[in-house]
Amino acid sequence: MHTERGHDLRHHGDAEVRDDGSALVDLAVNVRTGTPPVWLRERLAGALGSLAAYPDGRAARAAVAARHGLPVERVLLTAGAAEAFVLLARALKVRRPVVVHPQFTEPEAALRDAGHSVDRVLLREEDGFRLDAALVPEDADLVVIGNPTNPTSVLHPADSIAELARPGRTLVVDEAFMDAVPGEREALAGRTDVPGLVVLRSLTKTWGLAGLRIGYVLAAPATIACLERAQPLWPVSTPALAAAEACMEPQALAEAAHAAHRIATDRAHLLAGLSEFATDGLRLVEPAEGPFVLVRLPHAAAVRRHLRDLGYAVRRGDTFPGLDDEWLRLAVRDRTTVNSFLQALDRALTLTSHG
């Protein structure tokens, strides 16, 4: 059990492509390229005529509920999944929160900002960063885990996560990348048989809506009501509500499913290319199931700097608890981009070895 801080929990992939990094080829941010699609941009544009009225989230909430086969009382729309972490940290009565790392750092940051002391469960590289439920203390009354996990790209079995449920415990599962998994294998969204389960979803990644901020929470009605009371009035804008409703429609779900299969194919190509660098000491975390991969590489910080000089942004890993400066996260991109990146990586490794 770890409680130390020592990591920049507020560092995210977008920092790699801000300002002077805006011209780089982006493998740092886990948002699907070529998004939002034209049809979605048109739906958003159509919502602009309603901006004089206050947002009405009922239709979008109903659409999300129907998509997951749940009553609307089990759905809360939020300004991205990040807002949901803040609501959970502020609204729930929590004595001993535990965050399973390495994972997205915002849940811990939100808990700390709300005044909580946070315990960390660190999954081990030698175990492939797979969940070991025995590491989670029995008296933890809030447990947070990502699935598939950012940045490890590990997809934990749904049954293994469900086994973490206990009476009096809130089990938060961040499924922000689950719609990038073909068939949404191991998803817990829609389950009502797991006590204390809270599932977070984001529409940011698959649909390219990071600038719009839209996500949602699925949980028991009492938990949803508690979180809703902690929200400001009209927390989700009218265009974001239009996006939520549109992305729940059958054709949108079919497009997301198709994208998930394409991501899997592109990820296999990236992994195959990266495996060629094993002689340089590069190690992959496999099997990878998300739209990104995690690699361990000697002198990764220097390699990352050389990649920037060569026009490529990748995500440093040392801001994730449980990782150090030998780790990099790479977003899955199309074959052409990946092929160019692999050439740049080869050059960056050569420069590093001669440096």
Side-chain angles (χ1 to χ4, degrees), residues 47-68:
L48 298 181
S50 305
L51 292 187
Y54 284 95
D56 181 349
R58 289 176 296 177
R61 191 176 186 181
V64 172
R67 179 255 195 272
H68 291 287

Side-chain angles (χ1 to χ4, degrees), residues 48 92 140 162 188 219:
L48 298 181
L92 299 185
L188 286 165

Side-chain angles (χ1 to χ4, degrees), residues 128-207:
F129 296 110
R130 288 172 180 78
L131 174 62
D132 181 352
L135 296 175
V136 178
E138 276 298 318
D139 64 343
D141 59 351
L142 176 73
V143 177
V144 185
I145 187 168
N147 204 34
T149 302
N150 171 18
T152 63
S153 209
V154 170
L155 183 66
H156 305 289
D159 290 345
S160 297
I161 294 179
E163 286 173 7
L164 293 174
R166 301 282 187 278
R169 172 185 288 177
T170 300
L171 175 59
V172 179
V173 184
D174 176 9
E175 292 189 351
F177 294 100
M178 187 60 80
D179 60 355
V181 176
E184 297 198 355
R185 295 189 338 275
E186 314 303 345
L188 286 165
R191 293 272 296 270
T192 58
D193 60 321
V194 181
L197 177 65
V198 177
V199 174
L200 276 53
R201 285 288 183 107
S202 170
L203 299 178
T204 291
K205 318 298 183 183
T206 290
W207 296 110

Side-chain angles (χ1 to χ4, degrees), residues 102-120:
Q103 78 143 316
F104 184 51
T105 52
E106 203 58 33
E108 179 173 326
L111 285 161
R112 291 190 182 279
D113 286 347
H116 297 289
S117 176
V118 181
D119 285 334
R120 294 173 178 170

Side-chain angles (χ1 to χ4, degrees), residues 13-17 26-32 210 313 315 329 331 333:
D14 64 316
E16 312 280 359
V17 289
D26 177 14
L27 281 81
V29 175
N30 294 325
V31 173
R32 186 164 64 99
R315 172 67 159 89
R329 189 192 70 195
R333 298 295 185 234

